[in-house]
């Protein structure tokens, strides 16, 4: 029995898939932007010498990194509203889960970068009267940003892939639309293959750039 | 209104969660083993001098690195059976998705380990009159294996977390079982918090154990 | 003209259980040049670093220009002690400059930017004013031709001179040097010592921790010998280095074979 492909359904389905793609991108931008800033804040807690700041930061990072992200999304959608006393929309729950998850990974990247800078840099800045915040902004971060860039790009790529899990909360991003369409047209092979390709086209440029960047940085030192 | 916690309601069904945990471990173990085999073959292909072998292997790796795992789960469960004319058990589809995906990542781990060994090692061994196979087996691999341990372990943890996606195919792993318990007890907060903790305990304990092993290995080296 | 700039009273410093500085009293007069000598691990650096609060004193008080630093309060351990705000310490550090053994220049900034940094971020000087003040200081240490170089491209001696210019740019009342030549190749020591000597001639208040006893002899109005975290002997360079009264000082000096004084 030979399967006959029929890619004409894609022509009909494409506008819907594109609308889904838009939601995917929205989720990605939101979770990445907030996740980065939040991650920086958490990393500050992570490097703090005060145990009551340090311990919760460690707990936060470890919980998000040692449980499946899908369980986190489900938790934020089905469980969290119960303590909150208010229903969350699928999009909000997904965005919340993805943001916090991303922030935990970003916190570790920031921490790794910050502690890689020699103590003398903090001392040099301190000795001319710079505050910790000034030192971070003017001395530490500019030195590590480049070094951390590949790791952040990788995080962005992971996040782009993970946004697909929002479909399981019925967020109408591209994966969700793909599944819906494949049962409507009864053409899962064509539609799911195209969805995979759309993701590839979306993500590949990022990982290509990240690989090049990594090579360039490695060649430099 | 204060939320009334009721963990016992969930713990009455703990046996179902244990079934889920066993399902998770089984899925992870089988996929890791198959993934290693896939990864090993793909790595050898990528290291080959023949373009015919190298190109498809590279495409395989790039495809899996740049598309979300959830697409693969659905693709193997809903799409592939249409093409080959046999339907798959959820477990089979999940193993296919996980082992091919992790195979792509393991391939990079293996390849990275091998190419990280300096050219001088090859030259030194060849100068002794060793053949390619001998050099690989007696000089390169023993050194490379040690460098592969950490990324290999990381990848296996990622895979284990990804098993949660099999719940969307109704395979009875931990998350799916939790959903069942939830539909009996209507206690999402307690159920999902319980399984998050179960994942955390297993993964956190395992990752610390592996860190210890890595540390020992590094010291032995 | 005999006014006291810094007065240290009963300074103690502990690192956990390790008691490193065990009650130091010291007065520094304006324009005075003090050399601090002593065996390795005796606590010289720690004393110096407490003066600009790179290390927080565990006990004791420090006065600058007759003003007691910090406020009375309870320290972390709950014991009575002095507490210091970050703002107060940052302001203080612009008045007490420091030069390190390892230079601690910022590698991502040029020589000029390194020297301008404190002026711009801490003193909020305008960019133009900062540039001209920084250029002036760099001229003084003989690095006018290196303004746009990055520290990584300079020799150790040149880097240390940039670090001195960076400290000078803040116009500190007191300068602290912690073994500024110890990490330099022998042929580069001279150029840094010449710069320090020139600063001494200007009548600046300076404290220098050093193992270069020959230089200490010519440089210092007063030499302080530290042993076991206390001031063991102090006096003029002649008194301490040539005619030490106490046995331990004599034993320490005997270990230096070449006496360049
Ligand atoms: N941050 C720190 N934490 C713990 N111990 C420290 C710290 N800094 C210094 N010490 C210890 O305090 C003691 C005195 O150190 P310090 O650096 O003041 O000695 P020093 O006289 O400057 O010696 P050197 O001539 O070698 O520079 C040493 O035993 C040192 O190990
Ligand atoms: Mg010292």
């Amino acid at each position: 029995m030979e399967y006959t492909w029929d890619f004409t359904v894609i022509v009909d389905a494409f506008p819907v898939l594109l609308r889904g793609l838009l939601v995917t991108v929205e989720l990605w931008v939101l979770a990445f932007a907030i996740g980065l800033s939040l991650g920086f804040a958490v990393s500050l807690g992570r490097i703090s010498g005060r145990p009551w700041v340090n311990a919760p930061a460690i707990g936060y990072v470890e919980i998000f990194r040692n449980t499946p992200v899908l369980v986190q999304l489900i938790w934020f959608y089905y469980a969290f509203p119960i303590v909150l006393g208010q229903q969350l929309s699928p999009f909000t729950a997904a965005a919340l889960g993805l943001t916090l998850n991303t922030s935990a990974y970003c916190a570790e990247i920031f921490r790794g970068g910050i502690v890689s800078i020699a103590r003398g840099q903090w001392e040099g800045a301190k000795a001319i009267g710079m505050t910790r915040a000034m030192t971070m902004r003017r001395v530490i971060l500019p030195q590590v940003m480049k070094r951390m860039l590949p790791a952040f790009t990788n995080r962005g790529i992971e996040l782009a892939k993970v946004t697909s899990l929002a479909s399981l909360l019925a967020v109408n991003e591209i994966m969700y639309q793909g599944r819906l369409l494949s049962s409507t047209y009864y053409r899962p092979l064509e539609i799911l293959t195209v969805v995979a390709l759309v993701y590839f086209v979306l993500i590949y440029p990022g990982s290509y750039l990240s690989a090049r960047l990594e090579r360039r940085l490695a060649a430099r030192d | 209104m204060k939320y009334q916690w009721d963990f016992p309601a969930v713990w009455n069904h703990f046996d179902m969660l244990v079934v889920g945990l066993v399902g998770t471990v089984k899925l992870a173990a089988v996929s890791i083993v198959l993934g290693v085999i896939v990864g090993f073959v793909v790595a050898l292909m990528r290291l080959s001098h023949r373009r015919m072998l190298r190109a498809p292997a590279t495409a395989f790796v790039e495809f899996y690195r740049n598309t979300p795992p959830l697409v693969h789960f659905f693709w193997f469960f809903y799409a592939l059976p249409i093409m080959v004319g046999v339907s798959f058990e959820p477990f089979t589809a999940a193993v296919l998705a996980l082992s091919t995906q992790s195979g792509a990542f393991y391939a990079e781990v293996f390849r990275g380990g091998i190419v990280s060994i300096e050219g001088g090692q090859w030259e030194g061994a060849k100068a002794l009159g060793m053949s390619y196979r001998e050099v690989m087996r007696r000089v390169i691999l023993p050194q490379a294996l040690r460098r592969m341990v950490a990324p290999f372990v990381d990848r296996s943890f990622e895979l284990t977390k990804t098993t949660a996606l099999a719940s969307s195919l109704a395979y009875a792993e931990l998350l799916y079982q939790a959903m069942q318990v939830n539909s009996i007890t209507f206690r999402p907060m307690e159920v999902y918090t319980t399984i998050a903790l179960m994942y955390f305990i297993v993964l956190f304990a395992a990752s610390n154990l592996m860190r210890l092993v890595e540390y020992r290995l590094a010291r032995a080296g | 003209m005999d006014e006291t700039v810094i007065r240290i009273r009963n300074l103690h410093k502990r690192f956990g259980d390790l008691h490193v500085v065990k009650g130091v009293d010291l007065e520094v007069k304006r324009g005075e040049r003090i050399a601090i000598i002593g065996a390795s691990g005796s606590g010289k650096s720690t004393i110096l670093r407490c003066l600009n609060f790179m290390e927080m004193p565990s006990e004791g008080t420090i006065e600058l220009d007759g003003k007691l630093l910090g406020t009375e309060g309870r320290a972390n351990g709950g014991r009575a002690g002095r507490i210091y705000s970050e703002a107060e310490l940052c302001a203080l550090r612009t008045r007490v400059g420091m030069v390190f053994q390892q230079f601690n220049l910022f590698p991502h900034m040029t020589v000029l930017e390194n020297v301008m940094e404190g002026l711009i971020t801490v003193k909020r000087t305008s960019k133009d004013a900062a540039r001209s003040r920084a250029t002036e200081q760099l001229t003084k240490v003989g690095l006018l031709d290196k303004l746009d170089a990055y520290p990584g491209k300079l020799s150790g001696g040149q880097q240390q001179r940039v670090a001195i210019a960076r400290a000078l740019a803040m116009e500190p009342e007191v300068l602290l040097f912690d073994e500024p030549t110890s990490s330099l190749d022998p042929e580069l020591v001279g150029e840094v010592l010449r710069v320090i000597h020139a600063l001494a001639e200007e009548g600046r208040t300076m404290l220098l921790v050093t193992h270069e006893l020959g230089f200490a002899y010519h440089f210092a109005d007063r030499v302080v010998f530290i042993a076991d975290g206390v001031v063991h002997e102090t006096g003029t360079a002649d008194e301490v280095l040539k005619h030490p009264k106490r046995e331990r000082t004599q034993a320490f000096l005997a270990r230096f074979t070449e006496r360049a004084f």
Side-chain angles (χ1 to χ4, degrees), chain B residues 77-122:
Chain B
F77 193 60
Y78 295 108
L80 185 64
I82 294 180
M83 198 155 77
V84 298
V86 247
S87 64
F88 294 139
E89 291 286 310
F91 179 76
T92 316
V95 165
L96 282 172
L98 283 170
S99 55
T100 47
Q101 192 227 338
S102 61
F105 283 102
Y106 287 142
E108 284 306 277
V109 170
F110 298 152
R111 192 180 70 103
I114 289 170
V115 301
S116 75
I117 306 298
E118 306 71 36
Q121 293 291 310
W122 282 98

Side-chain angles (χ1 to χ4, degrees), chain C residues 6 38 88 112-113 124 146 161 190 193 199 207 216 222 237 241-242 246 248:
Chain C
I6 294 181
E88 180 185 13
L112 184 62
E113 286 166 348
R124 308 230 166 262
K146 298 286 183 197
R161 286 188 278 149
L193 290 184
L199 294 175
L207 284 86
R222 192 143 67 94
L241 294 175
K242 277 200 171 156
R246 303 188 62 172
R248 203 146 170 198

Side-chain angles (χ1 to χ4, degrees), chain A residues 53-171:
Chain A
V53 180
N54 188 250
I58 293 179
Y60 179 88
V61 168
E62 294 299 342
I63 284 171
F64 279 102
R65 297 203 317 165
N66 287 292
T67 52
V69 57
L70 179 56
V71 172
Q72 294 160 22
L73 295 193
I74 300 255
W75 192 90
F76 278 107
Y77 188 50
Y78 293 104
F80 187 52
I82 291 175
V83 278
L84 201 64
Q86 192 194 347
Q87 210 27 256
L88 292 180
S89 76
F91 185 88
T92 312
L96 186 61
L98 292 175
T99 302
L100 301 189
N101 178 272
T102 301
S103 74
Y105 282 95
C106 289
E108 282 306 278
I109 300 174
F110 275 119
R111 184 184 70 95
I114 292 168
V115 301
S116 75
I117 295 294
R119 212 172 67 125
Q121 291 293 302
W122 287 98
E123 299 212 326
K126 199 167 160 186
I128 51 172
M130 290 171 82
T131 61
R132 283 181 63 84
M134 278 179 197
T135 309
M136 185 62 93
R137 196 162 44 87
R138 305 270 310 178
V139 178
I140 307 298
L141 286 183
Q143 289 186 58
V144 285
M145 263 315 179
K146 254 189 230 153
R147 240 184 280 172
M148 297 188 298
L149 214 52
F152 282 129
T153 328
N154 280 337
R155 210 5 65 195
I157 290 164
E158 281 309 309
L159 177 62
K161 293 194 262 177
V162 169
T163 54
S164 65
L165 300 185
S167 68
L168 300 174
L169 307 186
V171 174

Side-chain angles (χ1 to χ4, degrees), chain A residues 119-121 123-134 138-139 142-143, chain C residues 49 54 86 90 93-94 100 104-109 117-118 121-122 166 170:
Chain A
R119 212 172 67 125
Q121 291 293 302
E123 299 212 326
K126 199 167 160 186
I128 51 172
M130 290 171 82
T131 61
R132 283 181 63 84
M134 278 179 197
R138 305 270 310 178
V139 178
Q143 289 186 58
Chain C
R49 289 162 59 83
M54 298 301 286
E86 189 181 28
C90 286
R93 290 184 192 117
T94 65
F100 301 88
N104 295 342
L105 295 176
F106 309 132
H108 59 303
M109 298 180 190
E117 183 61 21
T121 55
V122 181
R166 182 173 72 176
M170 303 304 285

